[in-house]
Amino acid sequence: MPGPGSEPADLGGSSDNYVTAGEFVDGGEIKIAKLVSTLLGAAWLTVAAGWIMVMQAVVTAHVRVLDAVAAMYVRIIEAAVGGGAETVQASWGAAFRAAVETNRLLAPVILSVEVVLVAALLLYARRRWV
C-alpha cells in the first residue's frame, strides 16, 4: 500500500467517480493509448451533445414558425368565416406533432410533404366539383 505522499493527484473532484493522474502513467511512462481514448471519448460526447442541441434548435425554430403560421390562418379564417379556425389550428398542430414523433430532424420535410398532399387533395376536390 503506498504512503500518503505517493498517491496520485485527484483531478476529478471529491465524488466516487473520479479520474486520477495515475491512471495515465505506468512506471513513469505515459499511457498514450488510454490518454488518447479518453480524449476521443470526451470529443465524441461534445459532438453528440452539440448535435442534440442543433436538432432541438431546429425543431424549436420550426415549432415557432408553425405557431406563427397557425395564428395567421386562425386570423384569416376568423375574418372570412367566423368559425372553424380552432379546427384548422388543431389539425395542423396534430400533423406537426405526428411529424415530430416520426423523426425530430426530418419533421419539417415530413410536414412539408403533408402540406403538399393536403393542398393537392383540396385542388383536386375543387376542380372536380367546380
Side-chain angles (χ1 to χ4, degrees):
M1 188 104 148
S6 64
E7 289 185 21
D10 182 4
L11 300 177
S14 62
S15 70
D16 291 335
N17 299 323
Y18 59 87
V19 178
T20 61
E23 291 183 35
F24 300 102
V25 179
D26 183 25
E29 293 291 321
I30 296 175
K31 295 179 184 176
I32 299 294
K34 187 160 188 161
L35 184 61
V36 169
S37 67
T38 302
L39 291 173
L40 288 176
W44 169 247
L45 289 175
T46 303
V47 168
W51 180 253
I52 290 170
M53 185 181 67
V54 167
M55 282 188 358
Q56 288 178 341
V58 167
V59 170
T60 301
H62 283 95
V63 167
R64 288 183 182 166
V65 167
L66 288 173
D67 283 344
V69 170
M72 178 189 69
Y73 279 125
V74 167
R75 281 185 243 121
I76 290 171
I77 292 173
E78 283 178 346
V81 180
E86 291 83 14
T87 304
V88 171
Q89 185 177 16
S91 64
W92 284 114
F96 183 72
R97 280 190 294 279
V100 169
E101 289 172 4
T102 302
N103 187 333
R104 294 181 84 186
L105 190 59
L106 296 178
V109 174
I110 294 170
L111 186 66
S112 298
V113 169
E114 290 174 355
V115 168
V116 167
L117 288 175
V118 168
L121 289 172
L122 289 173
L123 287 174
Y124 173 75
R126 181 176 174 218
R127 288 181 184 156
R128 182 170 171 110
W129 284 293
V130 174

